[in-house]
Amino acid sequence: MKKIVIIFMLAMLSLNSYTSVKGTTLNGYLFARTKKQMVKLVEYVRNNNKKEFITYIKELQTTGEGGALDDGLEVEIVDNSQGLVQIRLVGRTETVWTVTEAIRRE
C-alpha cells in the first residue's frame, strides 16, 4: 500500500511541474497578496476613482500587502482567473495576484 501511495504522489508532482506555466514580470504593474485586494484595485481603476486607488495602494505598500512588480522576475502562474493571475516567484512559496498583462508568458 505504501508503494502505491508513493507512486501516486510522484505522479502528481510530475504532473504539476509539467502543467505549470512560466513567465516573466513586466515593470511597474501592481500586485496584491490576495485576489480580493487585487480586484479592489482593478475596480478603482475601472471606476476612475484615483483618490481611493492611491489611498488603497499606499495602504497595501505600507503593510507589505502590495506594490509594484520589478521587470524580468521569473514566475510560475498558479491560477488564472477573470483577467487576473496568481503568480509565484520561481524558487519561492509565497504567491501574489496581478493582472494578466503584467506577465510575459514563455
Side-chain angles (χ1 to χ4, degrees):
M1 184 67 165
K2 269 187 172 180
K3 286 182 182 179
I4 293 172
V5 171
I6 291 172
I7 291 170
F8 178 74
M9 288 175 59
L10 289 173
M12 291 306 291
L13 286 174
S14 64
L15 194 65
N16 283 341
S17 64
Y18 178 74
T19 60
S20 69
V21 177
K22 291 190 178 182
T24 53
T25 57
L26 298 173
N27 192 41
Y29 283 92
L30 298 176
F31 72 88
R33 295 270 178 217
T34 69
K35 184 176 180 181
K36 184 177 177 180
Q37 292 167 329
M38 196 65 216
V39 167
K40 193 171 182 179
L41 284 171
V42 170
E43 286 176 359
Y44 286 143
V45 171
R46 280 190 188 142
N47 295 329
N48 201 26
N49 193 339
K50 293 177 186 176
K51 182 179 176 185
E52 290 297 321
F53 173 81
I54 290 170
T55 301
Y56 191 57
I57 194 63
K58 285 181 180 179
E59 177 186 321
L60 292 177
Q61 289 174 324
T62 301
T63 61
E65 292 289 305
L69 294 169
D70 292 329
D71 191 41
L73 300 174
E74 192 176 341
V75 297
E76 291 180 348
I77 297 171
V78 177
D79 189 6
N80 196 355
S81 171
Q82 302 170 359
L84 301 177
V85 289
Q86 184 181 27
I87 58 173
R88 174 181 41 246
L89 288 173
V90 171
R92 310 239 0 230
T93 58
E94 308 87 33
T95 62
V96 295
W97 286 86
T98 190
V99 292
T100 56
E101 296 86 9
I103 307 299
R104 183 180 322 113
R105 295 173 191 237
E106 295 180 357

